[in-house]
Structure formats: C-alpha cells, structure tokens
Amino acid sequence: MISDTGRNREKKKRERECYCQESSEKASIFGEEEKTSIGLTMDSGDASGYTAGVDDDYESLLSTTDAELLKRAWRNEKAAPEILQFESSLVQRSREQIQLMEETIEEFSNNAVDPLTVSLYQMDLDRTLFLLRSYLRTRLQKIETYAFHIQKTTDLWNRLSKQEQKYAERCIDDMEQHLDQSVLSKLPHGFKSHLKQSSLSLADDMVPEPQLDQYVICRSKRFLGSFQLDDSGEEPVNIEANDLYALPYKSIKPLVESGQIDLV
C-alpha cells in the first residue's frame, strides 16, 4: 500500500524529470533551428523565405511560454495607469514552476551535477521570482494609491484577486481610521467625509483616480491597420506590426485588455 506522501514524492519526481527533459528538448530544437537557418542563409532561391518562417515559428513559440506571458503581464501592469485584470491562472502556474525549479536545483546540488548547469537553472529561477514579485508589488502599490476609487468602481473591483480585495478593504479601513483620528474629527460636521471636500460636493472629489489620458509607449504584434484614437476628428493612426507608438492610454485601452497591443 503506497501512502499519500509516497505518491506525492513520486509525482514531484516525475514533474522534475519532465521539466528537465522539456528544457533539454527545447534547447536542442532551438539549437537545430538556429543551425538550419544559418545554413540556409548561405543558399539561394527560397532559403530566405524558409529562414523567415523558422524565425517566425521560433518567436511564436517563445511568446507563448509562461515566462514570456509573465513578462508581458508585468510590463503591461507597470506601464498602465490603472490596475489591470489579475492573471490568476498565470500566477498559479508560475508559483508551481518556481517550486518545481527550487526542488530541481536542490536535487542537482545534492547529486553533484555540473555547477554551470545548476547556475543556469538558478538564473531562470531568479528571473521568474523577480517578475512575479514585481508584478504583485506593482498591483499592491496601485491598490494603496487608488483604494477608494477601486472599491467604488465595480469593474476595477472585479479585476482584483480575493486576496487583493481583502488587502484593499484593510487599506481603506486603516486610511479612514487614520483620517478620522488625525483630521476629520477636528473639522465641522459638513467636512467629515472621506470622499468629498464638503457635504455640498456632488462628486467624490477627494478620491484620487488614475489619469487615463496619459501617454504610454505601446507596440502591436501584428498589423492592425487604421485606428481612430478618439472623436476629436484627428486623422486615424496606422498601427503597423512591431512598431513603437506613443498614444493616450484611454484610446488604446480596449486593445490592451484584448491583448492586441502590449505596453512597453
């Protein structure tokens, strides 16, 4: 009878073996493709077209890995003025990958594997840890800055994870308590609101909001053609693949959310 602990140990062992095998296979495939493309560039005829196809396949494969998806989510979150949708599945997979890499590195170290190999795995682990921590830290900073605005905006509130929602509620409670004790308790009755300057204010003019009109640097992976930024009557922008553009975030917000444009 195999215990649950034994099953988990065998499962983790198989995952580590698959991870190592997958890394080796990718390195072998990319190496062979690179050699093939280098050789073909020296030939005539359709060699240039074949090389371009191999390069496109290589870039497409790289762009779908969790490491690249995490890097893209991190860049978008850093550059966007508002908080974006939480990438729950990607974060969960990244955490599992980090745990797997840590166990792999520990096993390699115990089995006296080549130090260069161990250092390469460690560099991969450090990169993933940095991206994940920076991604989560950037989101927490936005929550702290725009907590009141996020709470009263249903769309933004639904973009948070359950843990982030709890964190936002604690931030709001702490801020309200601090304002009550330090300032609002000493003001006249009509000026005790956390959201408005006075009881006569119609809008929540004390709540900071992200500036969606600010310009951001963006890039599209494919040709999007003519794109109208707003209703001001200006000429539409012709968005080409892989070109950099400085555009108002508010105008390209739907394209960012749909994944057609990446922020830089």
Side-chain angles (χ1 to χ4, degrees):
M1 192 72 128
I2 302 175
S3 64
D4 292 340
T5 304
R7 290 194 185 94
N8 293 334
R9 191 157 46 239
E10 288 296 325
K11 180 181 178 181
K12 290 182 178 180
K13 182 179 179 181
R14 289 195 300 270
E15 289 177 348
R16 285 197 297 272
E17 291 174 352
C18 292
Y19 171 72
C20 297
Q21 182 180 0
E22 181 182 357
S23 300
S24 301
E25 289 176 352
K26 285 182 179 179
S28 176
I29 292 173
F30 294 159
E32 291 299 325
E33 286 183 350
E34 184 177 1
K35 292 177 183 178
T36 304
S37 63
I38 291 175
L40 288 172
T41 54
M42 301 176 64
D43 299 331
S44 59
D46 297 333
S48 59
Y50 184 85
T51 302
V54 170
D55 291 341
D56 290 342
D57 292 341
Y58 176 77
E59 293 295 333
S60 177
L61 182 60
L62 281 182
S63 64
T64 58
T65 63
D66 282 343
E68 288 301 316
L69 293 175
L70 182 59
K71 187 187 297 183
R72 176 190 171 204
W74 168 68
R75 283 198 301 254
N76 286 344
E77 196 67 60
K78 292 277 287 185
E82 64 175 353
I83 195 163
L84 303 178
Q85 180 65 46
F86 180 68
E87 301 287 350
S88 56
S89 299
L90 177 60
V91 169
Q92 180 62 31
R93 293 198 307 271
S94 298
R95 286 172 172 166
E96 293 174 354
Q97 190 75 358
I98 287 171
Q99 182 180 359
L100 182 60
M101 286 190 288
E102 289 174 340
E103 294 173 354
T104 302
I105 291 172
E106 182 180 359
E107 183 177 339
F108 282 179
S109 301
N110 294 336
N111 295 335
V113 175
D114 181 17
L116 177 59
T117 302
V118 177
S119 67
L120 292 176
Y121 277 88
Q122 185 64 50
M123 289 174 58
D124 194 20
L125 172 61
D126 292 341
R127 177 189 63 174
T128 306
L129 280 171
F130 168 78
L131 290 175
L132 181 58
R133 289 170 177 171
S134 183
Y135 171 73
L136 297 175
R137 190 181 300 115
T138 300
R139 293 182 61 85
L140 292 180
Q141 290 173 347
K142 290 183 179 180
I143 291 173
E144 293 174 356
T145 304
Y146 306 115
F148 288 102
H149 174 67
I150 291 174
Q151 187 189 46
K152 71 186 186 71
T153 308
T154 304
D155 177 54
L156 296 179
W157 183 256
N158 292 334
R159 296 180 185 181
L160 307 184
S161 66
K162 296 298 183 183
Q163 293 81 359
E164 288 175 337
Q165 290 178 354
K166 293 179 180 178
Y167 181 75
E169 290 172 347
R170 291 201 302 269
C171 286
I172 291 172
D173 292 340
D174 291 342
M175 182 63 71
E176 289 178 345
Q177 183 179 0
H178 170 71
L179 291 175
D180 286 336
Q181 294 177 354
S182 60
V183 179
L184 298 180
S185 60
K186 303 176 176 61
L187 296 179
H189 176 70
F191 298 89
K192 292 182 178 294
S193 173
H194 303 94
L195 307 178
K196 301 179 180 180
Q197 292 191 28
S198 70
S199 58
L200 300 179
S201 300
L202 299 178
D204 295 337
D205 48 8
M206 292 288 289
V207 177
E209 300 181 4
Q211 301 300 313
L212 302 183
D213 290 331
Q214 76 176 51
Y215 277 72
V216 294
I217 306 299
C218 60
R219 174 173 51 203
S220 174
K221 294 182 180 179
R222 61 186 181 86
F223 175 73
L224 297 180
S226 180
F227 181 74
Q228 185 67 47
L229 295 179
D230 49 38
D231 299 330
S232 62
E234 296 184 3
E235 293 186 2
V237 177
N238 198 36
I239 300 181
E240 301 282 350
N242 297 320
D243 283 352
L244 292 176
Y245 298 89
L247 301 172
Y249 173 79
K250 186 176 182 179
S251 300
I252 62 170
K253 176 182 174 181
L255 299 179
V256 175
E257 294 174 346
S258 62
Q260 298 182 67
I261 278 185
D262 292 339
L263 302 182
V264 180

